[in-house]
């Protein structure tokens, strides 16, 4: 599945930031740690737009978190059937938050 998540972030606008590879240690899951980190980034940086690229459509905890923080889906990339079956995901979702 690694190959599905290796696209480089190309030519972002100067007012755009990319938040990548958000992960939470087991002992902090469900306690708001990721929410607080992402909120801190948004509230304390000058960017107008924040992108989270390449979230698996099966990663429901991540998608729920980003929706709660008001990120909106702006792109969906389908995987070829043979890779989707092997990886256990059908689509790669990209999300955006605009201040």
């Amino acid at each position: 599945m690694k190959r599905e998540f290796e696209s480089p972030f190309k030519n972002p606008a100067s007012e755009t930031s990319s938040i990548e590879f958000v992960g939470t240690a087991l002992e902090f899951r469900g306690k708001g740690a990721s929410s607080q980190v992402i909120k801190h980034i948004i509230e304390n940086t000058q960017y107008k737009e924040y992108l989270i690229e390449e979230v698996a459509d099966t990663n429901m905890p991540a998608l729920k978190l980003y929706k709660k923080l008001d990120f909106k889906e702006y792109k969906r990339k389908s995987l070829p059937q043979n890779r989707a079956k092997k990886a256990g995901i059908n689509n790669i979702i990209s999300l955006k938050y605009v201040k």
Side-chain angles (χ1 to χ4, degrees):
M1 187 163 62
K2 184 179 176 190
R3 180 174 34 182
E4 282 78 28
F5 297 97
E6 290 184 340
S7 299
F9 187 55
K10 296 179 183 176
N11 303 318
S14 61
E15 65 274 349
T16 300
S17 176
S18 176
I19 300 172
E20 300 183 24
F21 298 106
V22 177
T24 307
L26 286 174
E27 64 267 24
F28 297 107
R29 289 186 185 165
K31 297 181 180 177
S34 292
S35 294
Q36 290 302 313
V37 169
I38 294 171
K39 284 179 188 177
H40 180 82
I41 291 168
I42 291 170
E43 292 169 0
N44 293 285
T45 59
Q46 79 281 8
Y47 300 104
K48 295 178 183 171
E49 183 176 78
Y50 297 83
L51 304 178
I52 297 177
E53 299 288 335
E54 301 185 342
V55 180
D57 63 348
T58 56
N59 189 346
M60 297 314 292
L63 293 170
K64 182 179 172 185
L65 167 68
Y66 304 142
K67 183 177 180 177
K68 180 177 88 173
L69 295 172
D70 209 26
F71 279 80
K72 308 290 186 214
E73 180 179 332
Y74 76 93
K75 182 172 59 175
R76 181 177 288 251
K77 179 174 73 174
S78 296
L79 295 181
Q81 246 183 352
N82 60 337
R83 282 184 38 209
K85 186 174 182 179
K86 185 177 180 180
I89 57 177
N90 296 308
N91 298 286
I92 303 295
I93 299 170
S94 297
L95 303 115
K96 178 189 316 189
Y97 174 88
V98 179
K99 281 186 179 177

